[in-house]
Amino acid sequence: MRNMERTSSPTGDAIKRKLSLSDVADAFNISRPTLYKMIDRYDMGDYSGINGDLLRLFDIVSDEKCEAEDAQAYLLSYKKRDDTVSRNVPRSAMDRSIRSSAVDIDRLANGVSPRERRTALEWSEGDVRTVSIGQNGRSMVVFDGPEGEYRLEIYLEISGKPFKISEYRQTPGRNYFLVDDLLPNVGYRFNVVCRYNHGETDSGLQELRLR
């Protein structure tokens, strides 16, 4: 049986330097053994089954530029947001919360202290609005639009024309996609498509940020 105090992993050690493992488990309403399993998956590059907000926490604490106060601030903001969402706050408030979390990721990717600068995110225009945030070769595409089924299309420009290379389906309850299987230093573009009762609409091709 796994020792309850076992955290001999890069991510586990990073969490212990900045947070209490018990506080993280309590915040996400999971047991310590379950938290260890999520840490092990993250260390192996397997992100399946990891709560999106917990995944962001792992990204944040694993960044060498992240200080303890940054990690603690994110965990506190998550707990407050989770309490707010559970009370069925209007969608506009949830959108602000998603944007706030995206700002934190983008800030850490830039290596900038929260005391120095806050990144101002801007929605793209169109029926489906999007924001792409990149960090360590991964990308988070946040979207907002009409009620419907969403999918994310990834494109490369080949011979001067966009060529679709992959597609992601929306995870229920999430207004974002996480993309982590692309090569760095390649110019990708994306399109978020919404299928609803009267047809389809999309965001149009946008730059996919990986950094």
Side-chain angles (χ1 to χ4, degrees):
M1 180 177 294
R2 183 191 298 269
N3 187 328
M4 288 291 288
E5 298 304 320
R6 190 220 53 66
T7 55
S8 57
S9 74
T11 307
D13 291 342
I15 292 174
K16 287 186 67 177
R17 287 193 296 269
K18 299 160 186 174
L19 295 166
S20 160
L21 286 168
S22 295
D23 287 347
V24 174
D26 290 344
F28 287 90
N29 195 30
I30 58 178
S31 66
R32 287 277 289 274
T34 297
L35 177 59
Y36 290 140
K37 290 178 182 178
M38 298 299 102
I39 290 172
D40 289 343
R41 284 186 184 177
Y42 182 84
D43 285 340
M44 292 186 295
D46 177 10
Y47 308 124
S48 61
I50 303 179
N51 176 289
D53 295 299
L54 182 59
L55 189 61
R56 285 198 292 276
L57 177 64
F58 290 166
D59 286 342
I60 288 172
V61 299
S62 297
D63 192 297
E64 293 180 357
K65 302 179 183 68
C66 172
E67 300 177 358
E69 63 183 31
D70 298 324
Q72 293 163 4
Y74 175 81
L75 189 64
L76 180 61
S77 69
Y78 168 76
K79 292 170 69 175
K80 288 182 177 179
R81 174 162 56 86
D82 191 51
D83 289 342
T84 300
V85 172
S86 67
R87 298 191 192 104
N88 296 319
V89 175
R91 177 172 176 166
S92 60
M94 294 177 67
D95 284 346
R96 288 195 299 273
S97 175
I98 292 173
R99 289 197 297 272
S100 176
S101 297
V103 165
D104 287 336
I105 293 176
D106 203 38
R107 170 179 55 74
L108 288 170
N110 278 303
V112 178
S113 166
R115 291 181 292 273
E116 296 174 2
R117 180 174 66 84
R118 285 279 178 175
T119 302
L121 298 179
E122 295 286 344
W123 286 114
S124 66
E125 297 181 356
D127 293 335
V128 178
R129 304 183 301 170
T130 61
V131 174
S132 177
I133 308 128
Q135 177 187 5
N136 299 331
R138 304 174 66 207
S139 185
M140 176 182 182
V141 177
V142 185
F143 61 87
D144 179 59
E147 293 294 329
E149 297 180 358
Y150 283 83
R151 69 178 186 271
L152 173 69
E153 301 174 338
I154 305 297
Y155 290 82
L156 271 178
E157 186 172 300
I158 301 177
S159 299
K161 296 182 179 180
F163 180 76
K164 186 167 74 171
I165 61 171
S166 60
E167 186 173 291
Y168 296 77
R169 296 290 175 176
Q170 178 188 10
T171 299
R174 291 186 181 177
N175 279 58
Y176 62 88
F177 297 95
L178 288 176
V179 183
D180 57 14
D181 60 351
L182 300 179
L183 297 173
N185 303 318
V186 177
Y188 295 99
R189 297 173 73 81
F190 73 87
N191 182 36
V192 176
V193 180
C194 174
R195 174 176 293 177
Y196 58 103
N197 292 337
H198 303 294
E200 283 191 351
T201 187
D202 59 36
S203 65
L205 289 179
Q206 309 287 334
E207 178 187 359
L208 183 71
R209 298 174 62 189
L210 293 173
R211 285 202 190 155

